[in-house]
Amino acid sequence: MKLRSYYRYFLLKRFLVYFATFILIAFFILPIVWVLLTSFKTRAQIIQMPPLFIFSPTLSQYRQLFQETSFAQNLLNSLIVSTSAALISLAIGTLGAYGLARFDFRGKPNVAFWVLSTRMAPPFGFLVPFYLLMRDLHLLDTRFSLIVIYQVFNLAFVIWMMRGFFSEIPVEIEESALIDGCSPLGVFYRVSLPLVLPGLVATFIFCFIMSWNEFLFAFTMVRQTRQTVPVGIAAYVGLMGIRWGQMASAGMIATLPILIFSFIVQKHLVRGLTLGAVKR
Amino acid sequence: MFRPAYKLRHQKRILVIKEKRYLYIFLIPTCATLAGLTLYPTAYTVYVSFHQVLLTKPYLGTPFVWFGNYLNAFAGFNIPFLESLKITLIFTFTSVAVSLGIGLGIALLLVEGNIRGKRIIQSLLLIPMVMCPVVVGFFWRFMYNETVGIIPYLLRAIGFSPQTILGKGSSALVGVILVDIWEWTPFVAIVCIAGLSALPVEPFEAAIVDGASGWKIFRYITLPMLRPVILVALLFRTMDAFRTFDSIYIMTKGGPGTATQTLTLLGYKIGFEFFDIGTSSAYAILMLILAIIFGNIYLKLIGREI
């Protein structure tokens, strides 16, 4: 008899655990599922109250999105800007990260704090200086201006992440290369970099995601022709109200590459987001 | 004679290379770029914050006003800064606290509860936090909408009948906070999962052998051992919640009146809708100081050896 009540107690706890998990996960996923469904409805179906769950899906919103707006252009701009910004900050930052990881010098904590502070500054504070700078350089409304500005955000990430990856390589490997007559730069290029390749990929993806999602600076610097995806989506706030269908489809398309990339980089996600403070 | 150009130090994980120039080669590109891109704008912003710069009235020039812009934030009646500070604190505190609680709960459920499909759930959890905040803002604006949104419909089905969610002061703030919680709780959860998975098993085994109940184990073993991880999540979440702009801007642009006008939104509004660059820069510096205080707490509590 006692055994049966224990069994029931165990089952109840199991059920509660699964139920709680289900509810929580549903809370995070359902909004996206709902908008995904919305993106396959027609205009009339979207406005319908009570909300429609069963309908025949159509690609009309997506078609309209690409035909009536410059979303394809936005995608291209975002792609160019994000990739370039990520590659450049990777190149610059990895060098510095190696220096931080392998060399000892005065003022090291200051540099670290300085790097951290780029993540603490309020975004609008830097808008004016950069806007004026870009205006004077006639770089407004270019992708290049964004690529330059995104270095500010990306470099901090790159430095901290790559520093962590570099410090995981045993020093002995590099020392043996040095003994064999390799120059320090050669060691960096031939020994350390190949060993840290997964870290490079993960960091690249992080920077890509951050640059892709960035809104404020893109919104301020680029108004006419070179808009990135977030700016383009924000433009759907029309005078006649928002075109929900196109917003839904645009949002889905904008999210897709990010999702794929972040699944790839899952393992390093924690380390990246906490700037290396928490390692799995 | 053979003279080694380096010295091996086995105690530290650091190469000691005698030629200083290699240090410079590695560090100069990064430091130069960062310096140019951060020091210059910061210096410029500080400079502007001490002047009165009204782009709408260029004939006034840009007179030096000492700390006038800063005093603006605290003195005088009808001070938007203090109001926004209050809203920012409510927003930040609520969002961080709730997402910490839920995130920790999810982590405990997934790690301790031995759920099947933990990997898939973790992958799904990623989605809200990697999405573009603008897109998140729009999605939730869509769901909150009175005519086409699913949330008012559900609320009506339960019994409430809200006229509007994002259109009324109090509910707008709640709505915006909810979105921030939705977007960032996965971050806390994933960080806590990582921390929880890394805990050693032995203390738990010892506690179970000694006959401790689940709650006692949680309170006296799990929680203290998770402290550094929780602190990291807490501080990163706080710094980011403090600076949230994109989603709030898309959803309410500051809310009905000033209901959801956090400091970031206020600063943006003053600088780019009223074009009072001087005051906006002052607010930016004030926010930066506040954030630096947080950053110092972070470095001290985590005690990182650089």
Side-chain angles (χ1 to χ4, degrees):
Chain A
M1 258 235 294
K2 249 200 183 151
L3 205 61
R4 210 183 284 167
S5 69
Y6 276 154
Y7 185 55
R8 228 180 288 158
Y9 173 67
F10 173 73
L11 265 191
L12 183 67
K13 265 202 1 194
R14 282 271 96 199
F15 171 73
L16 279 179
V17 165
Y18 272 92
F19 182 67
T21 314
F22 176 73
I23 296 279
L24 283 171
I25 304 303
F27 172 63
F28 290 109
I29 302 299
L30 282 184
I32 302 177
V33 171
W34 173 241
V35 177
L36 183 66
L37 284 180
T38 307
S39 72
F40 290 117
K41 293 182 184 172
T42 66
R43 206 122 173 251
Q45 288 172 330
I46 296 178
I47 310 183
Q48 211 171 19
M49 264 301 153
L52 211 50
F53 291 105
I54 307 180
F55 55 95
S56 50
T58 160
L59 284 180
S60 66
Q61 299 296 350
Y62 289 91
R63 214 181 316 128
Q64 270 183 1
L65 179 69
F66 282 103
Q67 282 174 349
E68 293 175 16
T69 69
S70 55
F71 192 67
Q73 186 69 21
N74 294 345
L75 279 175
L76 182 67
N77 291 332
S78 266
L79 192 65
I80 296 179
V81 169
S82 301
T83 322
S84 319
L87 282 176
I88 295 179
S89 43
L90 207 62
I92 303 179
T94 312
L95 274 176
Y98 187 73
L100 265 184
R102 290 293 186 232
F103 294 83
D104 215 4
F105 53 93
R106 249 185 5 184
K108 217 172 180 189
N110 290 339
V111 173
F113 183 77
W114 176 29
V115 164
L116 181 64
S117 68
T118 58
R119 193 172 163 167
M120 297 194 297
F124 65 93
F126 288 171
L127 271 183
V128 175
F130 275 119
Y131 182 79
L132 294 176
L133 181 70
M134 292 302 162
R135 192 193 58 180
D136 294 338
L137 291 177
H138 298 286
L139 280 178
L140 277 185
D141 206 31
T142 63
R143 295 181 277 239
F144 182 67
S145 61
L146 287 182
I147 296 177
V148 168
I149 294 177
Y150 287 171
Q151 299 311 309
V152 180
F153 313 128
N154 291 346
L155 274 179
F157 255 105
V158 175
I159 293 179
W160 277 71
M161 272 199 85
M162 292 316 299
R163 196 196 78 88
F165 283 114
F166 278 129
S167 51
E168 277 179 5
I169 306 177
V171 198
E172 287 73 24
I173 298 181
E174 298 177 4
E175 286 172 346
S176 64
L178 281 174
I179 295 179
D180 287 342
C182 197
S183 75
L185 265 182
V187 169
F188 172 72
Y189 184 66
R190 286 174 223 267
V191 177
S192 317
L193 270 190
L195 283 176
V196 107
L197 203 55
L200 282 174
V201 174
T203 312
F204 170 80
I205 290 181
F206 264 106
C207 293
F208 183 89
I209 294 179
M210 283 205 309
S211 307
W212 182 276
N213 289 346
E214 204 281 329
F215 171 68
L216 187 59
F217 279 89
F219 186 57
T220 311
M221 300 293 152
V222 173
R223 283 304 193 121
Q224 312 294 76
T225 53
R226 302 284 195 217
Q227 293 165 326
T228 56
V229 167
V231 182
I233 294 183
Y236 289 145
V237 187
L239 289 165
M240 317 271 202
I242 307 180
R243 291 129 124 223
W244 298 116
Q246 290 184 3
M247 182 275 303
S249 50
M252 282 298 142
I253 299 183
T255 313
L256 199 58
I258 301 294
L259 281 188
I260 299 176
F261 275 153
S262 57
F263 285 166
I264 299 176
V265 94
Q266 247 183 77
K267 258 196 326 182
H268 304 290
L269 204 68
V270 177
R271 182 210 293 252
L273 290 174
T274 58
L275 294 188
V278 177
K279 281 190 273 225
R280 169 85 70 130
Chain B
M1 287 258 66
F2 173 69
R3 193 167 61 87
Y6 57 87
K7 217 163 69 157
L8 299 178
R9 270 218 247 164
H10 292 282
Q11 315 302 67
K12 282 190 181 181
R13 297 181 132 250
I14 291 184
L15 292 173
V16 182
I17 298 181
K18 273 262 169 82
E19 287 102 344
K20 263 276 201 276
R21 62 187 159 117
Y22 284 112
L23 170 66
Y24 294 143
I25 292 180
F26 281 117
L27 285 184
I28 297 269
T30 311
C31 287
T33 317
L34 263 185
L37 286 177
T38 62
L39 289 185
Y40 160 69
T42 317
Y44 188 85
T45 307
V46 173
Y47 175 77
V48 169
S49 71
F50 287 120
H51 295 244
Q52 183 194 54
V53 181
L54 295 168
L55 293 182
T56 47
K57 301 183 180 164
Y59 49 84
L60 286 180
T62 57
F64 186 67
V65 285
W66 294 99
F67 286 94
N69 289 327
Y70 290 91
L71 289 180
N72 252 343
F74 300 106
F77 73 111
N78 192 21
I79 319 147
F81 185 84
L82 292 180
E83 174 80 21
S84 289
L85 183 61
K86 184 182 78 163
I87 294 179
T88 310
L89 286 177
I90 296 177
F91 177 85
T92 308
F93 182 73
T94 316
S95 173
V96 173
V98 174
S99 57
L100 204 63
I102 300 183
L104 189 57
I106 295 179
L108 287 170
L109 276 176
L110 282 188
V111 176
E112 306 280 335
N114 233 332
I115 310 255
R116 283 213 298 200
K118 175 180 152 194
R119 283 271 160 81
I120 308 177
I121 294 182
Q122 254 188 279
S123 309
L124 286 179
L125 267 186
L126 284 186
I127 303 180
M129 68 178 173
V130 295
M131 278 177 67
C132 181
V134 169
V135 174
V136 171
F138 267 122
F139 282 7
W140 280 89
R141 194 166 159 184
F142 169 65
M143 292 197 299
Y144 280 143
N145 187 281
E146 307 80 47
T147 27
V148 302
I150 191 174
I151 293 185
Y153 172 74
L154 291 174
L155 286 178
R156 257 175 267 144
I158 302 182
F160 304 101
S161 54
Q163 303 288 71
T164 164
I165 299 186
L166 291 182
K168 213 166 60 157
S170 47
S171 54
L173 190 56
V174 170
V176 163
I177 293 179
L178 184 68
V179 174
D180 201 62
I181 292 174
W182 180 84
E183 195 181 347
W184 291 107
T185 302
F187 167 70
V188 180
I190 290 189
V191 169
C192 287
I193 290 177
L196 214 48
S197 315
L199 291 182
V201 183
E202 288 79 20
F204 291 95
E205 290 176 343
I208 293 180
V209 162
D210 287 343
S213 69
W215 173 247
K216 284 236 163 67
I217 293 182
F218 176 70
R219 202 177 141 212
Y220 292 109
I221 301 185
T222 318
L223 224 43
M225 290 217 284
L226 266 188
R227 208 184 85 132
V229 169
I230 294 182
L231 279 173
V232 167
L234 183 81
L235 283 154
F236 271 97
R237 263 277 49 219
T238 311
M239 283 200 297
D240 284 341
F242 193 63
R243 303 184 314 151
T244 308
F245 178 83
D246 298 359
S247 41
I248 307 181
Y249 182 74
I250 295 292
M251 280 192 285
T252 60
K253 255 188 135 168
T258 57
T260 59
Q261 196 167 65
T262 58
L263 283 175
T264 343
L265 274 143
L266 176 69
Y268 180 77
K269 187 183 205 157
I270 292 189
F272 292 86
E273 289 174 28
F274 299 161
F275 294 108
D276 184 357
I277 309 286
T279 317
S280 174
S281 303
Y283 286 8
I285 301 297
L286 281 173
M287 280 186 73
L288 184 60
I289 294 176
L290 278 172
I292 288 183
I293 297 178
F294 279 135
N296 268 322
I297 300 176
Y298 161 71
L299 283 179
K300 204 177 299 176
L301 278 176
I302 310 301
R304 205 161 159 64
E305 207 207 45
I306 307 294

